[in-house]
Amino acid sequence: MSTTSVDRGIGPAANPGYRAYVLGLLMVVYTFNFIDRQILAILAPYIKVELGFSDSQMGLLGGPAFALVYSTLALPIAWFADRHSRTSIIAASLAIWSGFTALCGLAFGFWSLFGARMGVGVGEAGGVAPSYSLVSDYFPKAQRARALAVYSFGVPIGTALGYLFGGLLAALIDWRIAFVVVGLAGLLLAPLLKFTVKDPVRGGFDRAETAPGEVEVAHVATKAATFGEVWAVLLRKPSFWFLAFGAACSSVYGYGAAFWLPSFFQRSMGMEGVERALYIAGIAFIGGTAGIWLGGWLADKLGGGVRKAAYPLVPAVGFLIAVPLFFLAMNVDNKWLAFLLFLVPQALSLAWLGPVVTAVQHLVPAHMRSTASASFLLINNLVGIGLGIYLLGAVSDYLTPRFAEEALRYSLYVGQWFYALAAILLIVSARTLKRDWVD
């Protein structure tokens, strides 16, 4: 009698229909993660008018207020997730960040909004790393880049819906109502995740795919790893650091542009209200989903066997192409031609998510994945979110005396070079990835 997937220790992940449901629900949760994270970008012009904030202050609200707690708390929460139910942790995190998003609508000044944004960061700290680990245990190795790419659809979909719903509610009702509505919607989703998603066996697919007679030592999770054990592994793997800092450099401009492009469309292209919300939402959704799926598909297609270098090289090429295209899109007079041009660099700038996250999952054994993912996210988000949004706002304030309303345009030009630096670091990581890979 042949050994089934369940016999080999896969558990609920053996059911293709159920794991598709789990992936879809996790993607929806990630969508709310980005709705609540990015809604501040489309609401920034309304908040600035009512509360009198500068670009630097808005940059602090969008960047450090969120990133400092989000990045640092993610590591201990992921350590906890390597030992306890990942599903429960994600559900609780969703409820916390959604509640604080609703509280943003009650802010009466800079520090009250700063505190509420910190609360959003506290909640979101427990969402992504445990989800990466769950997805990796629900899908076999040959499908992980695509599965993680599908999960990562939450980035463009959430960003687009944040722009759309936030922009429409602010234009038609009030910016405060936008925070309250999207926050309460997330609260309703938390119980569904908690009671319908099972936590699978850690590393079950890795053991199930081991050929008869092979030793499965690398994937047996008899005891959760400590921080020291995980970092001892990561410190010996240069690929991790080049991947992490490469992704972080891309996120400096990725998060910075996502936050400031709505304001650029208002100041430099004369778009207001509903038109601006629809325009930026379309770019985020169409370009983002296409790019994430393309990156995951190419990585799975090209990265099989010994060609592990494809995982960082696919996004590296994308970043190099994205730089001139972003510049071109910002300098055409026709807004619909600009829309089409923005789609391509938007797609290329997000193509890294599936391949790079997949590579990080394969640098450590299965029982270390949550903590390794959180270590990656600590670097990526602390640098990307913490620096990128504030940096572009501060540069815009610095250039305002010379360029007035066009200062933000030149700030966005400066940020684009972080994509080139990201490409260089990812290319370097390709040289050692095969050696550092854990099959």
Side-chain angles (χ1 to χ4, degrees):
M1 186 175 182
S2 62
T3 302
T4 66
S5 296
V6 176
D7 293 334
R8 297 299 299 273
I10 295 174
N15 185 325
Y18 180 70
R19 69 171 182 250
Y21 165 78
V22 171
L23 180 61
L25 186 57
L26 288 174
M27 187 268 289
V28 172
V29 173
Y30 201 23
T31 295
F32 273 89
N33 182 301
F34 264 81
I35 291 174
D36 294 356
R37 190 185 306 189
Q38 295 295 102
I39 192 172
L40 185 65
I42 196 71
L43 301 180
Y46 301 98
I47 296 171
K48 285 188 64 179
V49 170
E50 181 174 330
L51 301 180
F53 296 162
S54 67
D55 279 353
S56 294
Q57 286 179 302
M58 290 306 306
L60 287 170
L61 291 170
F66 175 88
L68 290 177
V69 289
Y70 172 69
S71 303
T72 53
L73 284 179
L75 201 56
I77 292 173
W79 176 88
F80 190 74
D82 273 335
R83 290 155 174 76
H84 301 281
S85 170
R86 292 165 287 187
T87 299
S88 297
I89 291 169
I90 298 166
S93 299
L94 170 60
I96 293 170
W97 88 61
S98 298
F100 275 104
T101 296
L103 288 177
C104 288
L106 305 179
F108 51 84
F110 178 78
W111 290 110
S112 60
L113 187 52
F114 191 96
R117 289 294 295 175
M118 288 185 70
V120 175
V122 169
E124 294 199 7
V128 181
S131 296
Y132 284 164
S133 179
L134 269 181
V135 172
S136 294
D137 284 335
Y138 265 103
F139 288 86
K141 287 182 284 186
Q143 300 175 17
R144 277 183 195 151
R146 280 168 289 179
L148 285 164
V150 171
Y151 171 73
S152 297
F153 282 166
V155 176
I157 296 173
T159 301
L161 291 178
Y163 290 149
L164 183 62
F165 290 140
L168 292 178
L169 289 170
L172 300 176
I173 306 176
D174 183 75
W175 64 267
R176 296 178 183 275
I177 293 297
F179 279 124
V180 173
V181 169
V182 300
L184 294 179
L187 282 171
L188 297 175
L189 183 63
L192 179 65
L193 176 73
K194 165 65 178 174
F195 295 112
T196 66
V197 174
K198 300 174 183 177
D199 207 310
V201 176
R202 298 172 197 263
F205 266 115
D206 302 274
R207 293 194 296 274
E209 292 172 359
T210 304
E214 288 186 9
V215 178
E216 300 175 4
V217 173
H219 298 294
V220 176
T222 57
K223 181 182 177 182
T226 65
F227 277 125
E229 290 170 338
V230 176
W231 277 67
V233 173
L234 295 178
L235 286 170
R236 296 195 301 268
K237 299 197 172 185
S239 300
F240 173 82
W241 302 99
F242 286 115
L243 288 170
F245 282 101
C249 286
S250 76
S251 293
V252 168
Y253 191 65
Y255 281 115
F259 188 89
W260 288 110
L261 276 177
S263 295
F264 168 78
F265 292 143
Q266 180 196 43
R267 300 179 198 180
S268 297
M269 298 178 67
M271 295 184 189
E272 298 287 351
V274 174
E275 179 191 26
R276 183 167 59 99
L278 292 171
Y279 191 87
I280 186 65
I283 293 171
F285 176 71
I286 299 171
T289 52
I292 289 173
W293 178 252
L294 178 64
W297 180 81
L298 280 175
D300 275 341
K301 184 79 172 177
L302 302 176
V306 298
R307 297 172 295 181
K308 308 303 184 187
Y311 287 90
L313 291 180
V314 166
V317 172
F319 288 136
L320 292 175
I321 299 172
V323 173
L325 289 178
F326 258 127
F327 183 84
L328 180 62
M330 294 174 64
N331 285 278
V332 297
D333 294 328
N334 186 291
K335 65 181 180 181
W336 296 114
L337 177 57
F339 180 88
L340 295 174
L341 290 172
F342 271 117
L343 291 177
V344 180
Q346 175 72 10
L348 295 174
S349 66
L350 290 176
W352 70 269
L353 282 163
V356 172
V357 170
T358 299
V360 171
Q361 300 298 297
H362 284 279
L363 294 177
V364 295
H367 64 295
M368 296 182 176
R369 282 177 182 153
S370 288
T371 304
S373 294
S375 302
F376 169 80
L377 291 170
L378 171 67
I379 298 168
N380 180 60
N381 294 321
L382 195 59
V383 176
I385 305 175
L387 176 63
I389 296 172
Y390 173 72
L391 176 65
L392 295 187
V395 171
S396 177
D397 276 346
Y398 176 78
L399 296 176
T400 295
R402 179 175 180 182
F403 295 108
E405 286 293 298
E406 287 296 293
L408 186 55
R409 176 190 295 273
Y410 290 94
S411 177
L412 288 164
Y413 290 163
V414 171
Q416 288 171 4
W417 292 104
F418 278 94
Y419 276 163
L421 180 57
I424 293 171
L425 292 172
L426 291 179
I427 289 170
V428 174
S429 75
R431 298 172 60 89
T432 57
L433 186 59
K434 181 182 176 182
R435 183 188 67 200
D436 293 341
W437 193 275
V438 175
D439 283 318

